[in-house]
Amino acid sequence: MPCYAKQLTKTSMLWCLMLGTLATGCARPAGIVFPAIESPKTWPAPPQQSRIQYLGALADSDDLHAAQTGWEVFKAGLRGPRPPIRLSSPHGLAIGPNGWLAVADVSAAAVHLININTRSHRIVAGWGDERFAAPVGVAWINERLFITDAGRHEVIELDTLGNLQNRFGTEDLQRPVGVTFSPSSQRIYVVDGNAHRIAVFTTQGQLEKYIGKRGTAPGEFNYPSHITSTGDRLLLADSGNFRVQLLDLEGHCHQVIGQKGDGAGDLSLPKGVAVDSDGHIYVVDAHFENVQIFNDQGQLLLAWGKEGGGVGEFILPAGIAIDNLDRIWIADAGNRRIQVFQYIKAKS
């Protein structure tokens, strides 16, 4: 029978210790579990077939409901509970191997390392005597985390313990923001917002080339921000041009999605971009404070969200990441939380 830490009395705490849970901990099921919702919020609304369902939100480490060992419970009983680790202004998101979720927190000048399998959460503010200035983007290569720091004008590579592995780009970047890794090319693509281009690096941090320049033509950019890779393509939020560009790995534009306007499928300030297992393209819009889903031809399929602090509402949303279970993680920066949704595949 599992013994949950928050429910332990002094007697049950002693039983945990006597039964050896100092080593094994009080059992909880592995993986993050969101509280059950009696009437789940879905989009589109019934009676139409649901395609997106709200799962829950993470605002601090308490929302992970992490298991504790008997020794941890005993120490907490003596000293009192520790304050939770809180999100301040989540921006970039990246899902890595073995359940790792990295969150770049600009206001906190730190990166959150959350393991959604073990429900652990720690915050990394720097390495040695060095500190982050303005971490914006994050990307995983196996269990190495690459962080773009717009304030330090560089890319910082850490392991999952927060130890420094490498730093690069100081001489090559003006304001690095979005970052992604393409397994197809084995290259790191860094969006340089102020330079209106993408810098391409090897995994060792050597600059290979730049892609793009300032302009409005396909393959040209105006204050680009977020980027993700999908197969042999790149999705780039060309924020200042009110659009998303679908590029090949050499930077040639194959499709433009969105335009300036206030109609369905128009974009105002596109930020986070992601792709689900069926190839649908998700675009987070920080001005419209919603999420729009397109097919690869740029046709709008669905949109949800509006300004606010409720379920499925956003204030200045930014990054997005979709895991291998088609869970959609969205950095709801103004609400200081990450909202999590589920993509529901069409019934065959």
Side-chain angles (χ1 to χ4, degrees):
M1 177 178 179
C3 47
Y4 291 159
K6 291 187 178 179
Q7 300 172 343
L8 290 177
T9 63
K10 291 182 180 179
T11 301
S12 59
M13 187 191 307
L14 290 173
W15 273 110
C16 273
L17 294 173
M18 292 173 63
L19 291 172
T21 53
L22 278 171
T24 61
C26 295
R28 276 183 181 269
I32 188 168
V33 178
F34 292 104
I37 301 173
E38 185 174 346
S39 299
K41 181 79 171 178
T42 59
W43 295 266
Q48 299 182 70
Q49 181 182 342
S50 300
R51 303 310 301 274
I52 300 294
Q53 179 178 323
Y54 174 79
L55 295 180
L58 299 176
D60 58 46
S61 54
D62 281 353
D63 291 332
L64 293 167
H65 304 289
Q68 290 183 299
T69 66
W71 178 241
E72 288 170 336
V73 172
F74 181 71
K75 289 194 296 183
L78 294 177
R79 68 166 187 266
R82 289 180 175 175
I85 303 170
R86 301 186 186 280
L87 297 173
S88 179
S89 179
H91 192 89
L93 300 178
I95 302 286
N98 301 319
W100 286 108
L101 169 66
V103 184
D105 195 326
V106 181
S107 294
V111 173
H112 299 262
L113 293 176
I114 299 169
N115 192 294
I116 56 182
N117 290 340
T118 62
R119 287 178 277 171
S120 63
H121 184 174
R122 65 177 176 273
I123 189 167
V124 179
W127 61 95
D129 295 329
E130 303 280 351
R131 291 293 179 265
F132 292 118
V136 177
V138 281
W140 291 96
I141 304 179
N142 298 320
E143 292 198 358
R144 293 183 295 156
L145 179 64
F146 292 78
I147 303 145
T148 53
D149 193 316
R152 297 178 63 101
H153 318 290
E154 64 181 342
V155 180
I156 299 151
E157 178 189 348
L158 304 178
D159 63 19
T160 55
L161 297 177
N163 299 315
L164 179 68
Q165 302 298 302
N166 193 14
R167 296 163 59 184
F168 59 88
T170 306
E171 303 299 322
D172 310 309
L173 300 166
Q174 295 182 32
R175 189 176 184 274
V177 282
V179 58
T180 193
F181 170 70
S182 169
S184 298
S185 68
Q186 290 292 301
R187 293 294 180 266
I188 300 169
Y189 296 81
V190 179
V191 179
D192 194 338
N194 284 7
H196 315 284
R197 64 191 181 189
I198 302 169
V200 184
F201 293 90
T202 67
T203 54
Q204 289 73 43
Q206 298 171 326
L207 178 68
E208 287 200 340
K209 64 178 180 179
Y210 295 110
I211 292 173
K213 63 179 182 178
R214 191 171 195 178
T216 59
E220 298 178 346
F221 317 124
N222 186 29
Y223 291 105
S225 59
H226 295 64
I227 192 170
T228 193
S229 65
T230 172
D232 59 355
R233 294 288 187 266
L234 301 170
L235 269 177
L236 176 74
D238 188 7
S239 302
N241 282 327
F242 317 103
R243 65 189 183 185
V244 169
Q245 294 197 54
L246 182 61
L247 312 169
D248 65 24
L249 297 178
E250 299 302 315
H252 305 116
C253 180
H254 288 258
Q255 182 70 40
V256 173
I257 298 174
Q259 60 184 358
K260 184 178 182 179
D262 57 6
D266 292 338
L267 298 172
S268 181
L269 187 60
K271 291 286 189 177
V273 286
V275 179
D276 67 25
S277 63
D278 285 335
H280 302 126
I281 296 170
Y282 293 66
V283 182
V284 175
D285 197 304
H287 275 178
F288 288 155
E289 289 165 319
N290 69 0
V291 184
Q292 299 185 61
I293 307 177
F294 300 86
N295 63 19
D296 59 5
Q297 301 303 309
Q299 298 170 317
L300 179 67
L301 303 176
L302 177 67
W304 85 93
K306 62 179 181 179
E307 181 180 359
V311 169
E313 298 176 348
F314 306 99
I315 297 177
L316 297 176
I320 181 174
I322 301 178
D323 64 24
N324 58 7
L325 298 177
D326 275 329
R327 292 178 298 193
I328 306 156
W329 305 74
I330 298 175
D332 188 6
N335 284 316
R336 302 186 177 189
R337 65 184 179 182
I338 297 167
Q339 291 198 68
V340 189
F341 304 85
Q342 179 71 54
Y343 165 60
I344 303 170
K345 288 179 176 288
K347 296 179 180 178
S348 56

